[in-house]
Amino acid sequence: MDKSQLAVVEKFTQKIFKKAFFLLLTLASYSLFAQEDLLSKLENETMSDKPVYVLASFKGDKIINIQTNETVKKNNLDVRVNHLFGNIGKESGGGFHNLFGFDQSQDIRIAFHYGITDKLMAGLSRSKRNENFEGLLKFKLLQQTTDNKIPLSLTIFGNATYSARSGSLVDKDIHRLTYNSQVIISRKFSPKFSLVLTPSYLHRNFVEAEDENDIFSIGGGFRIKLTQSTSLIADYFHSFRPKISGTEYFAPLGIGIEIETGGHVFSIMFTNASGILENDYLVNTVDDWAKGGIKFSFIVSRMFKFGKS
Amino acid sequence: MKTTLSLLTLFLAVSAFGQSVFIDKGGKVTFYSEAPLENIEAKHTGVNSILNTSTNEVAFIVPIRGFTFEKELMQEHFNEKYLESDKYPKATYKGSIVDSIDWSVPGTYIVTTTGTFSLHGVEKEIQEQGTFTVDGNKINLQSQFKIAIADYNISIPKLLFQNIADTVLVTLNSDFEPFKK
């Protein structure tokens, strides 16, 4: 190899080294750069695709009359005592003499709701009016996620009631049964506003001559937070059913204020619904808001937890 | 020869670099609130932590929704009302270790870190003590510090919620392992 050849080789190797050096430098600085923000590096490393479900669309299994998407959590037992007083307005039997319905109890429901899983709830209840025993199931089919990949919650509800009432209405045991099934479509639009829309189908084994066994209804309800601990709540149901001579039926409408404390949610509710159970108020509401047929209602709820979650 | 040498050092630097990062994706954090009416404890077992032993930096990400409480209602209030986890889904910390540690020597080091803690949308410079236990490739960090909830714009209506303390005690425990891509 002569001198000129050597020079060429030397130049060539120098060039390669230079290039490699720069390449490495960029690589090193790149990783140095990535290192610079440790927090973003950690963020990239730990990003999870696990869905985060929206929390607390509503504060209970019902707003006032309408079911919500909420169920009792796994291994929790919710004992609920719901009291529906008498009509407030004088025209509807209320007034001062019975302290605006306070002396009456239109309906009382004592219910036990148990969370079998975080998505499935089973319950048993007894209501004073019509002496109904109820068995219910509620299942969260779809849950709204915080990233909006699932924009709404779908919950299904079903119950069966058995009336223990004596009298001429029922001559066969099978006539004492009613069934209600609902699809609860709900969405928490913001931390302050949640909405629910519920198509409902009620079957009664026994009805009066002009009435229909199968009644379809549609209901809606909402919760608006007014302050950090108080909310305005309301719900409404419309039932598609034939006119029945002699009795006028009304659509149940409920309005209330919900106050949250550390251990309890107090709901001060007013409704014209004649009963607490869907199977009752959807078809038996005979009181009119316009005539003071409004009742005060409240719920006492106590949660018991079993085992470890 | 010179170029080769510098290249070699660079290579070494680059590869050494990878080994100086340690990570833990299952760190534990608990917080404890002591009040006359009720003591409240919440646990988290999915805290993400990272440690760079060449720059002496640490960082943490705490997904707020991961805290579990004994009572579901408390957990709901914690997320919905106080920490507003829909709006502020995580708490973060990024800090540097003030004291020097020889990471190659096994042992226990009590150090001070300074850095930025972000919680409920509020960033604050904090200085806390921690204990590193180095055992070869395994590094454990334990720390305990107090957080005044008012510092982070967390308001609790006193009339309705008497069961929450003004200051909560936070305990951290991370087991770092070498970071692998």
Side-chain angles (χ1 to χ4, degrees):
Chain A
M1 224 186 275
D2 62 21
K3 248 186 176 177
S4 64
Q5 268 181 316
L6 208 70
V8 167
V9 169
E10 205 172 311
K11 225 177 182 179
F12 184 69
T13 35
Q14 262 177 6
K15 230 180 182 172
I16 284 187
F17 270 124
K18 243 183 188 166
K19 272 203 173 141
F21 181 75
F22 275 114
L23 189 77
L24 269 167
L25 208 69
T26 20
L27 256 172
S29 63
Y30 173 74
S31 35
L32 259 170
F33 178 73
Q35 202 57 41
E36 239 163 37
D37 197 37
L38 210 57
L39 203 56
S40 347
K41 187 185 173 77
L42 182 60
E43 198 142 326
N44 293 335
E45 276 314 310
T46 54
M47 265 201 304
S48 87
D49 293 326
K50 254 169 87 179
V52 179
Y53 296 124
V54 166
L55 203 72
S57 299
F58 296 98
K59 287 286 150 178
D61 70 320
K62 280 185 175 184
I63 299 181
I64 295 162
N65 297 315
I66 204 169
Q67 296 280 342
T68 69
N69 62 312
E70 303 292 344
T71 59
V72 174
K73 294 265 160 44
K74 189 182 177 182
N75 288 343
N76 280 258
L77 175 72
D78 188 9
V79 178
R80 303 179 74 81
V81 181
N82 190 348
H83 197 116
L84 184 67
F85 288 91
N87 286 329
I88 290 170
K90 203 171 180 181
E91 221 181 322
S92 298
F96 183 68
H97 82 95
N98 65 4
L99 203 62
F100 309 99
F102 181 79
D103 297 342
Q104 287 175 315
S105 58
Q106 174 76 15
D107 199 1
I108 298 164
R109 177 174 180 255
I110 298 174
F112 300 89
H113 293 169
Y114 187 74
I116 295 168
T117 71
D118 280 347
K119 289 180 176 180
L120 179 66
M121 178 179 102
L124 289 171
S125 86
R126 159 74 173 184
S127 296
K128 175 200 163 207
R129 218 176 100 92
N130 291 329
E131 300 167 22
N132 269 316
F133 290 100
E134 180 203 21
L136 68 91
L137 280 174
K138 198 169 177 181
F139 181 66
K140 289 181 171 178
L141 209 60
L142 212 61
Q143 282 174 276
Q144 186 186 343
T145 58
T146 50
D147 60 6
N148 252 328
K149 273 183 184 156
I150 303 174
L152 43 82
S153 298
L154 269 186
T155 312
I156 47 173
F157 168 83
N159 77 1
T161 66
Y162 175 89
S163 171
R165 218 156 57 147
S166 61
S168 59
L169 257 178
V170 279
D171 53 357
K172 283 188 201 161
D173 241 10
I174 196 107
H175 288 165
R176 298 173 181 275
L177 292 162
T178 70
Y179 313 90
N180 180 226
S181 39
Q182 302 189 336
V183 179
I184 301 148
I185 307 156
S186 62
R187 177 169 162 81
K188 190 177 191 176
F189 284 90
S190 76
K192 286 198 157 85
F193 180 60
S194 303
L195 193 74
V196 64
L197 197 74
T198 303
S200 158
Y201 166 75
L202 173 66
H203 178 84
R204 291 172 293 167
N205 277 355
F206 179 82
V207 289
E208 307 261 6
E210 285 174 65
D211 214 342
E212 276 173 12
N213 292 88
D214 299 292
I215 304 281
F216 179 75
S217 313
I218 185 135
F222 64 80
R223 169 175 180 253
I224 298 172
K225 261 179 134 177
L226 302 175
T227 70
Q228 203 191 15
S229 299
T230 53
S231 305
L232 174 72
I233 49 174
D235 56 32
Y236 178 82
F237 256 108
H238 178 80
S239 292
F240 301 93
R241 71 185 298 192
K243 278 252 182 287
I244 292 151
S245 52
T247 319
E248 197 181 351
Y249 290 104
F250 293 89
L253 168 71
I255 295 171
I257 294 284
E258 195 178 76
I259 302 159
E260 254 187 289
T261 69
H264 198 86
V265 182
F266 293 100
S267 295
I268 300 159
M269 305 176 288
F270 297 95
T271 176
N272 63 324
S274 292
I276 294 166
L277 280 179
E278 284 76 11
N279 315 49
D280 192 359
Y281 73 72
L282 282 175
V283 285
N284 296 331
T285 294
V286 291
D287 298 313
D288 185 4
W289 268 81
K291 287 183 181 148
I294 320 155
K295 304 155 193 77
F296 173 58
S297 165
F298 74 83
I299 294 175
V300 177
S301 146
R302 172 74 212 182
M303 199 72 81
F304 297 94
K305 191 166 184 177
F306 297 95
K308 280 189 175 173
S309 56
Chain B
M1 194 57 214
K2 234 181 184 175
T3 12
T4 333
L5 205 72
S6 57
L7 261 174
L8 209 71
T9 12
L10 245 171
F11 256 124
L12 278 174
V14 168
S15 47
F17 203 68
Q19 282 164 19
S20 69
V21 177
F22 293 76
I23 201 160
D24 177 21
K25 293 181 184 177
K28 292 178 191 71
V29 164
T30 59
F31 75 79
Y32 187 70
S33 145
E34 198 177 345
L37 214 59
E38 196 170 16
N39 296 332
I40 298 169
E41 194 181 24
K43 288 183 182 139
H44 201 311
T45 54
V47 171
N48 302 311
S49 346
I50 195 164
L51 167 71
N52 186 339
T53 51
S54 62
T55 60
N56 270 9
E57 281 182 312
V58 281
F60 299 89
I61 296 176
V62 185
I64 300 296
R65 278 290 287 271
F67 279 104
T68 53
F69 290 69
E70 198 197 326
K71 290 182 186 165
E72 257 82 17
L73 192 64
M74 269 175 200
Q75 197 164 325
E76 192 174 298
H77 285 155
F78 171 78
N79 280 289
E80 195 198 9
K81 290 174 165 315
Y82 308 138
L83 292 194
E84 298 174 87
S85 60
D86 283 0
K87 242 195 270 178
Y88 314 107
K90 52 197 164 200
T92 60
Y93 177 73
K94 194 191 165 202
S96 36
I97 301 157
V98 178
D99 316 74
S100 61
I101 298 181
D102 188 351
W103 298 101
S104 60
V105 179
T108 303
Y109 303 88
I110 298 170
V111 296
T112 304
T113 69
T114 58
T116 314
F117 183 54
S118 162
L119 175 69
H120 191 239
V122 179
E123 283 193 355
K124 249 180 94 79
E125 295 299 315
I126 61 168
Q127 187 165 30
E128 299 298 346
Q129 278 208 333
T131 306
F132 280 104
T133 307
V134 183
D135 178 19
N137 260 343
K138 284 180 180 160
I139 300 170
N140 172 266
L141 168 64
Q142 291 190 29
S143 179
Q144 202 169 54
F145 54 95
K146 281 177 179 170
I147 292 178
I149 53 177
D151 287 352
Y152 296 92
N153 251 339
I154 300 164
S155 61
I156 291 164
K158 280 282 160 200
L159 184 69
L160 301 176
F161 299 86
Q162 294 115 328
N163 52 354
I164 297 159
D166 296 328
T167 306
V168 295
L169 183 68
V170 180
T171 309
L172 168 82
N173 192 335
S174 288
D175 283 310
F176 293 100
E177 280 181 2
F179 172 63
K180 290 179 201 101
K181 262 263 181 247

